[in-house]
Amino acid sequence: MNHLPEAWGRPRNDVYGSYDHSYLQGSHPQQHTQQPIVTGTSVVALKFNGGVVIAADNLASYGSLARFTDVERLKQVGTHTVVGTGGDMSDMQHIYEKLLDTLIIKEEYQNDGHYLRASHIYRYLSRVLYYRRCKFNPLWNTILVAGWDDGKPFLASADLLGTTFSSPALATGYGAHLAIPLLRRACPDEAAVAGITRERAVELVEECMKVLFYRDARSLNKYSMAVITGEGVETTGADGEKKEKVHVEWRKDIELANQSWKFAENIKGYGAQTV
Amino acid sequence: MSLSSVEPLSFDPTYSFESSTSRGAPRQHSFNPYTDNGGTILGITGDDFVVLAGDTRHTSGYNINSRTERKVYRLGEDNSLILATVGFGADSKDVAETMTRAVNDFKFNHNLKNMTVNAAAQFLFTVLYGNRFFPKYTHCILAGLDKDGKGRLYSYDSVGSYSKEGERRAAAGAASSLIVPFLDNQVEFKNQYLPASNGTTERPVEDLPKETVVKLVKDAFTSATERHIEVGDGLQIITVTKDGVFEEMVELKKD
């Protein structure tokens, strides 16, 4: 290695000829993201009486290649919130490690008894996504924010365009096609949330993850799940500051159970064929 | 086979069985910052009231994202201003938020005096036209009571065009083409003639009572729900009268 750092890591001129700088020139206009590269697939989430359950598998695909099989796409943000991300994994890591971690650290430095709830995290994320789309430099993700907020379960979605909406059952990517109909059958509207127990919600989301693994070619039989439940209100500090108690139960590296591929032997052609 | 004939791996969104006639010419795939989230809004004025309504279905293509996303907003708590936005959901919400903030700021900058509906109308134009070269892809209907207590209604295109005189009725969004001719006939009495005149004298336009207007709104949306896939689920009707602002939620078909 010589004393010129700019030459490090490049082919030696005396061996390979001089370096062709046209490949690394800075004169062309800067390109923004036009497509995602390493991607995560669906995130599935459902509200129940007393909380929210959210799940995402552990795969990051490179096109059709199952490239990374141990990626955690769910992240707890503060004490009240879990976010799940589909789409570009590097953008997800930017959001998780550069934006959300910083946000929470700054919030905790205040040490003023205030804390960010799920709706605040959601608000922040959706504004960041919308701001980036307005700069024509989108973060290529669809994000579900699940949590406990003001005595109620919270669940909402935001995507790379800044589109936001909320519903008692949400799923991104392929899940929007395959999981949503299954979840809506159990939970058609906000009123139905009261009739869904935690066990039932977990069961439904597990079922969705299975259906998604059967039919989504960019999914994995290993996934993570987080169950966020409200546990009442606690008094913190001497000044009687109230804070909602929230419990987040994590289940990681869940192996897809009770698979049945019996249907597979009957499939001919693309599935619709009968002969 | 020479190595150069092997196609490099790519993330073409096309399929292997698609014809490759356009190979060779570089194709540019670019980010599209807009989408359409469906839905329809509708507003009708009477003499001393105004009604603004919108369905609560939020779509992406054939998917229903949510059945409960409202798109008629109150701009503040103690005034008569209401705004409905439809089109690209993200831009629509951003415009509604900008307006809410402006109306609120105005109040605190003007000794707690509320913004008048015509001032809000002019401001909304400024907001929309200010984004003329990267338009907010949203169609707005702004309504409220003026200082004489008359119902006022203004409708906008995505770059801010509006009529300062206001309108008797307006519809925008996915099913506006279905609703507008209905309103032409039922609110403006187009193609209606006085029975005694044997089809020679047009029926004179008159202000409708509130109950009739609300009935028309419900009819317009149930019909639009039948014929347009992006309309349905729920109907939010906001009525502004001198007694205050009232919201009514009505069920629409969810298919």
Side-chain angles (χ1 to χ4, degrees):
Chain A
M1 210 177 288
N2 62 25
H3 62 283
L4 298 166
E6 55 269 36
W8 298 351
R10 289 182 173 171
R12 281 169 57 184
N13 290 0
D14 53 339
V15 179
Y16 297 101
S18 62
Y19 192 78
D20 184 355
H21 286 275
S22 67
Y23 288 111
L24 253 182
Q25 58 182 342
S27 62
H28 59 78
Q30 194 200 324
Q31 286 249 338
H32 287 154
T33 312
Q34 302 293 326
Q35 56 179 294
I37 305 297
V38 177
T39 58
T41 183
S42 322
V43 185
V44 179
L46 177 66
K47 284 190 197 174
F48 59 85
N49 193 349
V52 199
V53 52
I54 182 168
D57 70 23
N58 298 335
L59 179 67
S61 309
Y62 180 70
S64 58
L65 173 70
R67 183 64 183 84
F68 305 104
T69 55
D70 56 354
V71 177
E72 183 54 63
R73 297 196 287 124
L74 300 181
K75 181 186 173 68
Q76 183 168 347
V77 185
T79 49
H80 287 51
T81 316
V82 173
V83 302
T85 307
D88 194 276
M89 289 294 98
S90 55
D91 284 349
M92 178 192 80
Q93 286 168 347
H94 171 73
I95 291 166
Y96 285 1
E97 286 156 33
K98 287 270 156 51
L99 304 181
L100 290 176
D101 279 350
T102 316
L103 183 77
I104 292 301
I105 288 170
K106 278 188 175 171
E107 184 65 23
E108 291 190 349
Y109 270 147
Q110 301 283 326
N111 199 226
D112 53 5
H114 291 278
Y115 51 94
L116 294 173
R117 298 204 304 266
S119 60
H120 307 133
I121 305 292
Y122 175 62
R123 180 82 184 144
Y124 172 78
L125 283 174
S126 52
R127 290 311 299 190
V128 167
L129 288 165
Y130 183 65
Y131 171 65
R132 288 289 296 262
R133 90 101 216 190
C134 290
K135 286 208 304 179
F136 266 81
N137 187 192
L139 292 167
W140 215 283
N141 300 107
T142 312
I143 302 176
L144 296 190
V145 179
W148 188 256
D149 195 278
D150 205 14
K152 291 187 294 290
F154 179 93
L155 179 59
S157 159
D159 73 7
L160 71 166
L161 294 173
T163 312
T164 54
F165 50 86
S166 137
S167 173
L170 286 175
T172 73
Y174 234 107
H177 298 98
L178 294 176
I180 285 289
L182 301 172
L183 296 175
R184 284 211 184 131
R185 192 152 60 190
C187 187
D189 51 32
E190 202 66 51
V193 173
I196 298 175
T197 61
R198 176 197 171 123
E199 291 69 34
R200 179 73 185 127
V202 169
E203 203 175 275
L204 279 161
V205 169
E206 281 171 346
E207 180 69 15
C208 287
M209 294 311 283
K210 189 155 78 182
V211 170
L212 282 166
F213 180 62
Y214 283 154
R215 289 296 185 177
D216 178 2
R218 278 95 179 100
S219 68
L220 195 66
N221 57 349
K222 186 157 69 80
Y223 63 96
S224 300
M225 180 187 277
V227 186
I228 305 109
T229 43
E231 312 277 331
V233 179
E234 64 179 348
T235 312
T236 57
D239 50 352
E241 195 83 54
K242 293 267 193 292
K243 183 177 180 176
E244 289 186 297
K245 244 176 96 176
V246 177
H247 184 246
V248 181
E249 187 193 305
W250 278 93
R251 289 170 60 200
K252 296 197 180 187
D253 297 325
I254 308 169
E255 284 280 341
L256 213 56
N258 304 319
Q259 291 182 49
S260 167
W261 288 85
K262 280 225 169 67
F263 69 88
E265 63 196 51
N266 298 316
I267 292 178
K268 299 185 180 75
Y270 288 99
Q273 225 158 292
T274 47
V275 280
Chain B
M1 193 173 75
S2 71
L3 205 68
S4 64
S5 72
V6 176
E7 287 287 336
L9 266 175
S10 72
F11 287 97
D12 252 5
T14 53
Y15 297 101
S16 53
F17 49 81
E18 222 165 66
S19 73
S20 55
T21 45
S22 62
R23 278 285 155 75
R27 282 189 303 156
Q28 183 74 244
H29 177 84
S30 64
F31 169 63
N32 177 201
Y34 294 116
T35 188
D36 183 359
N37 298 111
T40 282
I41 51 171
L42 157 61
I44 302 174
T45 56
D47 180 41
D48 58 352
F49 69 91
V50 59
V51 175
L52 252 187
D55 68 324
T56 60
R57 179 173 287 185
H58 190 285
T59 63
S60 287
Y62 290 127
N63 289 330
I64 296 172
N65 293 326
S66 172
R67 299 190 194 276
T68 53
E69 279 300 307
R70 296 171 184 219
K71 41 185 158 279
V72 191
Y73 309 90
R74 281 201 70 179
L75 305 178
E77 273 107 51
D78 62 344
N79 58 25
S80 70
L81 298 174
I82 44 173
L83 172 70
T85 57
V86 70
F88 170 36
D91 277 350
S92 300
K93 280 186 188 168
D94 188 61
V95 167
E97 203 171 289
T98 307
M99 283 303 290
T100 309
R101 207 163 273 160
V103 167
N104 195 40
D105 286 356
F106 180 97
K107 187 174 158 174
F108 292 116
N109 288 326
H110 292 82
N111 197 216
L112 299 183
K113 181 182 172 306
N114 274 318
M115 200 187 248
T116 56
V117 67
N118 56 309
Q122 180 64 21
F123 187 79
L124 179 52
F125 157 77
T126 316
V127 168
L128 292 168
Y129 195 78
N131 289 288
R132 176 63 182 82
F133 299 108
F134 184 18
K136 299 287 179 201
Y137 210 93
T138 178
H139 295 263
C140 299
I141 300 178
L142 178 76
L145 299 181
D146 68 10
K147 56 181 184 298
D148 304 321
K150 302 273 180 217
R152 300 287 249 148
L153 186 84
Y154 303 90
S155 82
Y156 297 78
D157 71 0
S158 49
V159 290
S161 318
Y162 82 111
S163 156
K164 281 197 177 184
E165 288 77 50
E167 278 140 273
R168 186 178 290 273
R169 84 288 187 286
S176 61
S177 58
L178 280 68
I179 291 178
V180 165
F182 171 71
L183 297 179
D184 282 344
N185 182 246
Q186 292 296 310
V187 181
E188 306 272 10
F189 299 152
K190 291 280 160 62
N191 297 99
Q192 291 198 45
Y193 296 89
L194 292 177
S197 75
N198 200 219
T200 53
T201 315
E202 286 180 356
R203 181 179 168 192
V205 181
E206 61 195 53
D207 283 320
L208 297 166
K210 201 172 72 195
E211 295 67 32
T212 312
V213 167
V214 171
K215 271 185 190 165
L216 283 177
V217 167
K218 289 176 184 172
D219 282 352
F221 274 94
T222 40
S223 305
T225 301
E226 290 294 325
R227 289 290 185 172
H228 201 112
I229 57 168
E230 291 175 345
V231 179
D233 293 332
L235 173 60
Q236 184 196 187
I237 307 172
I238 296 193
T239 311
V240 188
T241 67
K242 64 176 190 329
D243 302 320
V245 179
F246 305 96
E247 184 182 65
E248 184 189 357
M249 297 299 297
V250 181
E251 297 273 296
L252 289 175
K253 280 168 84 168
K254 288 171 180 58
D255 56 3

